[in-house]
Amino acid sequence: MPKKTDLRVIRTRKNINEAFLKLIQQKGFDSVTIQDIANEALINRATFYLHYEDKFDLLEKMSNTIIEELMNSINPAYHIEDKEVKIKKLQSTIENVYECVSKNHSFFKVMFGEHGVYNFRNDLEEMVRNKFSKNMTDLGVHPSDFEIPKDLIVHFICSAFVGVIQWWLKEDMNPSPREMSLQLSKIVTMGPMQAAGIKVGKMFE
């Protein structure tokens, strides 16, 4: 049976993570030192090194944990059956995504912020694209099944996915995850124009 992590260890890591994010927000990742983190977390340097090799190791471990949680909440295969979108399941997936972002809002606000880590958004989009592409393959959807090139669709969806999360954080996570699931499911299934109440004319070649 795996040994449980000591509560003191959990508390110390939590303090280190919170101090690290606060310092990145204030002065940027490149300017943050181990001594800065230790001072902010009210620990000594030796204690920091018991948990992390350096600030790069800290950033990687913290990011991996949170991004993995976000990726696990994204599951197109769950709400698509026989190439048909199940609306209730789609709403559930979207709500889970925004609950995850809300839970880890301090991390995402800092990463997307003025002093966030370079290329974070691009890296996140790439991970989301890979997840969507893999899910489509798992569902048996082939490039020939698309009326529009698959890469274009996936890039559009994933850019919008990350961009709307960034916007939502700037809006102080309003509306709620539940309301976001209702509104975004309309946009996804109806398209932006029809969801906005604009009639869409017939398509001509």
Side-chain angles (χ1 to χ4, degrees):
M1 182 176 179
K3 185 179 178 181
K4 289 185 178 180
T5 304
D6 190 289
L7 285 176
R8 289 172 297 179
V9 172
I10 294 173
R11 195 177 302 116
T12 299
R13 289 178 181 169
K14 181 175 182 291
N15 290 341
I16 291 172
N17 289 355
E18 289 176 351
F20 187 45
L21 288 174
K22 181 178 179 180
L23 289 164
I24 292 175
Q25 189 172 37
Q26 288 176 348
K27 58 199 297 187
F29 174 77
D30 291 341
S31 299
V32 175
T33 67
I34 302 303
Q35 191 61 59
D36 289 335
I37 299 169
N39 292 342
E40 187 66 37
L42 301 178
I43 59 173
N44 56 47
R45 289 169 60 92
T47 301
F48 176 91
Y49 288 118
L50 286 174
H51 299 276
Y52 303 103
E53 294 178 10
D54 51 33
K55 68 177 184 179
F56 298 95
D57 181 47
L58 168 55
L59 177 64
E60 181 178 3
K61 284 184 167 65
M62 181 169 55
S63 298
N64 287 349
T65 298
I66 294 173
I67 297 302
E68 181 180 2
E69 184 179 352
L70 179 64
M71 290 300 106
N72 287 339
S73 70
I74 302 169
N75 187 15
Y78 170 71
H79 58 256
I80 298 176
E81 297 176 12
D82 299 323
K83 299 182 183 179
E84 179 181 338
V85 175
K86 303 300 179 181
I87 300 299
K88 291 296 183 184
K89 288 186 174 183
L90 172 62
Q91 291 171 349
S92 175
T93 294
I94 295 172
E95 186 170 1
N96 287 341
V97 167
Y98 281 86
E99 289 287 2
C100 175
V101 174
S102 176
K103 175 185 172 184
N104 300 292
H105 69 277
S106 296
F107 170 82
F108 286 108
K109 277 190 173 183
V110 171
M111 292 299 110
F112 281 125
E114 180 183 355
H115 296 296
V117 175
Y118 175 73
N119 230 23
F120 173 78
R121 174 172 174 154
N122 289 340
D123 290 343
L124 180 58
E125 280 190 24
E126 182 65 25
M127 285 185 275
V128 175
R129 279 197 297 272
N130 290 338
K131 181 71 180 278
F132 268 81
S133 293
K134 182 181 184 305
N135 269 248
M136 287 182 178
T137 300
D138 292 344
L139 285 166
V141 181
H142 303 288
S144 58
D145 296 328
F146 291 86
E147 295 182 11
I148 297 172
K150 175 185 173 182
D151 283 350
L152 174 57
I153 293 174
V154 171
H155 274 74
F156 178 84
I157 291 172
C158 296
S159 295
F161 177 92
V162 175
V164 173
I165 287 176
Q166 190 172 9
W167 167 83
W168 188 64
L169 288 165
K170 288 181 179 177
E171 295 295 309
D172 293 324
M173 297 178 292
N174 185 46
S176 68
R178 176 59 178 163
E179 185 63 23
M180 287 296 287
S181 75
L182 298 175
Q183 299 299 334
L184 288 176
S185 63
K186 289 180 182 178
I187 295 173
V188 170
T189 54
M190 298 171 62
M193 294 296 101
Q194 291 190 77
I198 300 171
K199 292 182 179 180
V200 179
K202 292 183 179 180
M203 297 289 290
F204 294 95
E205 295 184 359

